Amino acid sequence: MGGRRVSTRAGKPAGMPRLMVAVFSATLATTLGSVPAVMAQAPESFYSYDGAEPLASLAPGAVLKTRTLEYHADTFATPLTTIQVLYRSTDSLGNPTANVTTIIKPPAPATGAAKVVSFLSAYDSLNPAHSPSRAFAADIELTGLSDPLSDIASSEVQFFAPLLMAGYTIVIPDTEGPAADFAAGPEYGRTTLDSLRAARHVTTLSGIDDTTKIGLMGYSGGAIAANWAAIEAPSYAPDINEDLIGVAEGGVLVDPAHNLNYVAGSPIWAGVIGMAIVGISRSFDVDFSKYLSDTGRRVLEEMQDASIMNVLAQYPGLTWAQMALPEYADPNSIPEYVDVVNKLNMGTAPTPTVPMFIAQGANGILEGTPAHPGFGAGDGVMITGDVRALANQYCAAGLAVQYDQYDAHSHVTALIAWAPAAQKWLIDRFDNQPAPTNCGNIPAGNPLTPERHAHQL
């Protein structure tokens, strides 16, 4: 389990609860009326670096390969030009990687200087085959999709299409990196920042240069990338940080150790426990197998290349205790676990330097997850009190934060409320309007203190 296993198995979700099916199907139906079809199938060889110069000797963001694809759709007056770039980035352990980003140029540029929104996909998968770049490079037919619920990246187009039509250039990195390191927040941040560096390096193709202003936008898995990119930008990519105008995010994973307890035993989201363990095992090269029960080994083997759609409602009632040997029923008894989840806690990471729009649902019972006795309510998978705590922490550091809480919404339904609000918030930042803030009026949240090894308690 410590190795970086990559395979191409694609599964089909079964037995999904009716609420989830209805929401995702409605999202897909809306999308099918507006998603442009990409007319070229991309070769897999594009994803491998084969240059003579060692990858480690190249600077993060260095361009390794480029290719151009054409979009065609009746709803656009002109075809959209799409550029894909293979670029150098950095994984969770500091190793160089070759990753891909997709740059979608608008049918007509915005007036004045170019404007870029880095849209961070919530493709949430342990399979590189599910990356946004592959979704956009595939020969997508708008009718007869065999497994539409498995192609999350394609169905997200509707959430940035209004910005695209308003003249914004959209940059969509494969945030999880080439090995699909699910839930590895800092790596998500670096792949995002380096994708923007790469977009600047292909100015003649992208129209993006080192003066172009940039906004970050992401929900759920996309919010992992957006927030971690903002966290890491001042130190990892100050050249990008100076041009960031703000972050619009929703459904935020703040402290994974809390979330493991919140979703445990739930009917829909419990399987995410296994996905996260596979993801952090892969990204930080940690072998958890010696701590697992037969059930745990079976679950993790099944998830090695699963997407979120293969996991939702497929492991109802699953808990960490079921996956672990009896002596490791408390995950904090595992030193490697404690070390890794503390690295993924946004609350103990450096503070961003840009305005933030943060939205969070609080009605997780709609998706079957009750309030946790220690951490309170959430949206079904993310914990509302954790997100409030992060927002208050950023307020205390002097950031302009607008925090919106959707008390009637769960994780899936809150996306529909968040998307138009996020678009408007970003447009206002690009228009140089003062960033709104409700700091001082955000209710208190949960402590975001680091986890401690069980022997220290």
Side-chain angles (χ1 to χ4, degrees):
M1 259 177 36
R4 289 174 170 267
R5 170 178 168 175
V6 175
S7 74
T8 56
R9 177 179 64 82
K12 184 173 183 178
M16 196 179 222
R18 292 180 181 178
L19 171 65
M20 301 287 285
V21 171
V23 172
F24 277 111
S25 296
T27 296
L28 183 68
T30 303
T31 302
L32 291 183
S34 60
V35 175
V38 181
M39 305 307 291
Q41 180 72 39
E44 193 67 16
S45 61
F46 180 78
Y47 293 83
S48 300
Y49 174 60
D50 52 11
E53 192 170 357
L55 192 58
S57 68
L58 301 175
V63 174
L64 309 175
K65 295 179 186 178
T66 64
R67 66 183 176 202
T68 300
L69 308 172
E70 291 185 352
Y71 271 55
H72 301 275
D74 293 339
T75 52
F76 294 106
T78 60
L80 297 175
T81 299
T82 300
I83 303 108
Q84 291 194 327
V85 182
L86 181 73
Y87 63 96
R88 195 272 208 203
S89 193
T90 308
D91 70 11
S92 297
L93 298 176
N95 300 313
T97 61
N99 198 51
V100 176
T101 192
T102 301
I103 304 166
I104 306 177
K105 298 184 70 173
T111 56
K115 301 173 182 178
V116 170
V117 170
S118 180
F119 181 84
L120 294 322
S121 172
Y123 64 104
D124 297 347
S125 180
L126 290 161
N127 191 336
H130 298 152
S131 63
S133 64
R134 288 173 173 85
F136 287 115
D139 185 7
I140 300 170
E141 297 294 339
L142 298 186
T143 59
L145 291 177
S146 61
D147 189 8
L149 293 181
S150 70
D151 194 356
I152 292 175
S154 290
S155 68
E156 291 176 317
V157 173
Q158 63 182 299
F159 300 121
F160 61 79
L163 295 168
L164 191 65
M165 296 307 294
Y168 291 72
T169 298
I170 308 297
V171 178
I172 308 172
D174 294 352
T175 52
E176 296 181 7
D181 290 340
F182 173 72
E187 183 173 347
Y188 283 34
R190 294 169 200 153
T191 57
T192 298
L193 295 167
D194 288 332
S195 75
L196 294 165
R197 285 168 158 160
R200 286 178 165 179
H201 293 329
V202 293
T203 301
T204 55
L205 293 174
S206 68
I208 301 169
D209 60 29
D210 58 7
T211 67
T212 304
K213 298 301 180 185
I214 302 163
L216 305 177
M217 179 182 182
Y219 188 88
S220 190
I224 297 175
N227 208 108
W228 275 103
I231 287 170
E232 297 215 332
S235 59
Y236 182 80
D239 50 320
I240 298 297
N241 191 64
E242 65 184 9
D243 291 317
L244 289 181
I245 54 89
V247 177
E249 62 184 16
V252 187
L253 174 63
V254 176
D255 186 342
H258 291 182
N259 291 77
L260 180 143
N261 289 284
Y262 173 58
V263 303
S266 64
I268 295 176
W269 288 103
V272 174
I273 296 172
M275 279 193 73
I277 295 299
V278 174
I280 64 176
S281 170
R282 180 183 298 174
S283 57
F284 290 95
D285 197 18
V286 176
D287 184 0
F288 286 104
S289 61
K290 60 188 174 184
Y291 304 114
L292 298 178
S293 64
D294 290 343
T295 296
R297 290 192 181 93
R298 174 184 59 79
V299 168
L300 266 59
E301 180 62 26
E302 292 171 354
M303 292 184 180
Q304 287 295 313
D305 53 8
S307 83
I308 190 71
M309 301 307 295
N310 305 131
V311 169
L312 290 176
Q314 303 306 298
Y315 297 88
L318 183 68
T319 67
W320 166 258
Q322 292 171 0
M323 294 176 59
L325 293 169
E327 59 268 36
Y328 300 111
D330 177 1
N332 281 26
S333 63
I334 302 173
E336 298 96 324
Y337 167 83
V338 173
D339 292 343
V340 170
V341 295
N342 283 340
K343 293 176 182 176
L344 301 178
N345 184 349
M346 291 179 179
T348 58
T351 300
T353 62
V354 296
M356 310 281 288
F357 167 54
I358 304 174
Q360 180 60 41
N363 196 7
I365 197 65
L366 286 180
E367 294 172 17
T369 311
H372 186 272
F375 304 121
D379 64 8
V381 61
M382 308 306 183
I383 301 172
T384 309
D386 285 6
V387 180
R388 289 200 306 263
L390 188 70
N392 279 314
Q393 188 170 308
Y394 289 170
C395 285
L399 298 190
V401 178
Q402 177 185 334
Y403 171 77
D404 287 359
Q405 184 167 305
Y406 306 139
D407 289 328
H409 286 286
S410 64
H411 190 72
V412 173
T413 65
L415 168 61
I416 308 304
W418 167 83
Q423 293 162 12
K424 182 181 185 304
W425 187 91
L426 284 168
I427 290 170
D428 287 347
R429 303 292 74 71
F430 279 108
D431 288 344
N432 296 316
Q433 296 187 27
T437 177
N438 55 355
C439 288
N441 296 306
I442 303 171
N446 301 319
L448 299 177
T449 51
E451 297 297 306
R452 298 177 61 189
H453 298 161
H455 68 80
Q456 296 176 326
L457 299 177

